[in-house]
Amino acid sequence: MEASANQRLDFGKMGYGCEHYRRRCKIRAPCCNEVFSCRHCHNEAASALRNPGDRHEINRFEVKQVICSVCDTEQPASQTCANCGVNMGEYFCDVCVFYDDDTTRGQFHCKECGICRIGGRENFFHCQRCGSCYSINLRNNHSCVENSMRHHCPICFEYLFDSLKDTTVLKCGHTIHLECLTEMTNRNQYCCPICSKSVFDMSKAWQRLDEEVEATVMPEVYRHKKVWILCNDCNDTTEVLYHILGHKCAHCQSYNTRTIAPPILPQ
């Protein structure tokens, strides 16, 4: 009997779903009363509507009704179908109304985030100040920025907090999609798009620039000209000799600087 019950629960496992999730149910969207395989399917369809006024996203917490994909029975959201008895998702969260048969993704619900995450609870911790779950490798090893994940990616502008794409935390504490960071560096952009601090250790690049500056003699008219610079990496301001290739911060040795107006001295 126990084997028979388990077979009924497992019937159709990994055989239903969409490109986002394998699950044995569909959801009825509370916003438009239409049926979709998951909220992402709904959001993609809604964003493609011709009339901008009709575009909208589903509120995952407001989903109340689901339709079993095995027997087509519509019912209140729960893990097991009230009619045929199958598990509509091996993983089920009654808070997010989230179903997924592929448990290798390591789904878990974070109470502080208020949503389900993937990757295994043991591999993440919730940073209260940043307002999101981060890899345990970043515990006591990242710069905190208030609610840094509750913003849009500075490159593609997708909301990061519940994005399906991999997200990374920069040295400065700001966050960005990993694929967007890769695209940015492929285009030789190495500064945070938000605060302009260097994304990587640039010391070797600065050494090469030192050699180029040393080898490039400025014309006599510019040789003794000085400019004030602000360092994007350490925020220090200094007066340095003008050079067409770049201006080196006297404090942290970074060339990630910009020229500014001279400071106004008190009278």
Side-chain angles (χ1 to χ4, degrees):
M1 290 292 291
E2 183 177 347
S4 176
N6 288 335
Q7 287 175 352
R8 183 171 68 252
L9 289 170
D10 288 343
F11 182 80
K13 181 180 178 181
M14 299 295 289
Y16 298 87
C18 61
E19 62 177 300
H20 305 105
Y21 305 114
R22 308 310 298 170
R23 50 172 58 173
R24 283 161 280 179
C25 70
K26 297 179 180 180
I27 62 172
R28 184 173 294 281
C31 44
C32 55
N33 207 38
E34 298 291 333
V35 175
F36 293 90
S37 293
C38 74
R39 67 183 183 89
H40 299 294
C41 291
H42 166 277
N43 294 344
E44 289 170 3
S47 65
L49 294 174
R50 289 187 177 181
N51 184 359
D54 293 333
R55 296 171 190 167
H56 61 283
E57 292 192 353
I58 199 170
N59 185 331
R60 75 185 80 192
F61 306 111
E62 292 181 358
V63 174
K64 304 299 181 185
Q65 294 292 116
V66 298
I67 298 93
C68 175
S69 298
V70 176
C71 69
D72 289 328
T73 300
E74 184 165 351
Q75 58 203 280
S78 65
Q79 184 168 23
T80 306
C81 175
N83 182 54
C84 68
V86 302
N87 262 351
M88 291 186 284
E90 281 297 303
Y91 174 85
F92 171 65
C93 174
D94 59 355
V95 177
C96 299
V97 197
F98 174 49
Y99 299 80
D100 199 351
D101 271 344
D102 186 6
T103 54
T104 62
R105 295 153 60 92
Q107 304 91 334
F108 66 97
H109 183 83
C110 174
K111 291 183 179 179
E112 288 86 356
C113 285
I115 61 174
C116 288
R117 300 290 189 188
I118 62 172
R121 187 184 301 275
E122 69 280 4
N123 298 318
F124 291 86
F125 76 100
H126 185 88
C127 179
Q128 295 292 344
R129 185 176 180 191
C130 294
S132 186
C133 286
Y134 283 170
S135 166
I136 56 174
N137 295 328
L138 292 174
R139 190 191 295 272
N140 302 320
N141 190 32
H142 72 283
S143 298
C144 284
V145 173
E146 194 78 26
N147 291 322
S148 63
M149 285 290 288
R150 296 179 184 267
H151 292 281
H152 295 81
C153 173
I155 301 298
C156 70
F157 304 111
E158 180 183 338
Y159 194 57
L160 291 168
F161 182 69
D162 56 0
S163 173
L164 294 179
K165 300 176 184 177
D166 289 337
T167 302
T168 188
V169 184
L170 305 180
K171 288 169 55 179
C172 56
H174 293 117
T175 49
I176 186 175
H177 283 133
L178 184 58
E179 64 179 36
C180 291
L181 175 62
T182 301
E183 178 67 19
M184 189 180 82
T185 54
N186 286 342
R187 296 175 180 269
N188 298 319
Q189 300 294 322
Y190 304 108
C191 298
C192 171
I194 298 175
C195 68
S196 296
K197 292 186 182 298
S198 297
V199 172
F200 307 109
D201 178 5
M202 300 293 291
S203 54
K204 291 184 178 180
W206 302 154
Q207 289 174 9
R208 290 194 296 269
L209 198 48
D210 275 341
E211 296 170 0
E212 292 181 29
V213 168
E214 184 69 24
T216 307
V217 179
M218 293 293 292
E220 181 64 31
V221 66
Y222 293 114
R223 199 165 297 171
H224 304 290
K225 178 182 178 181
K226 289 188 175 183
V227 293
W228 279 91
I229 61 169
L230 169 66
C231 179
N232 294 322
D233 287 336
C234 72
N235 295 322
D236 195 20
T237 56
T238 35
E239 189 180 27
V240 298
L241 286 171
Y242 172 79
H243 200 286
I244 192 171
L245 294 181
H247 303 113
K248 185 175 182 177
C249 173
H251 181 250
C252 71
Q253 315 304 308
S254 169
Y255 277 95
N256 181 15
T257 62
R258 49 183 163 166
T259 58
I260 58 173
I264 299 176
L265 299 177
Q267 297 295 326

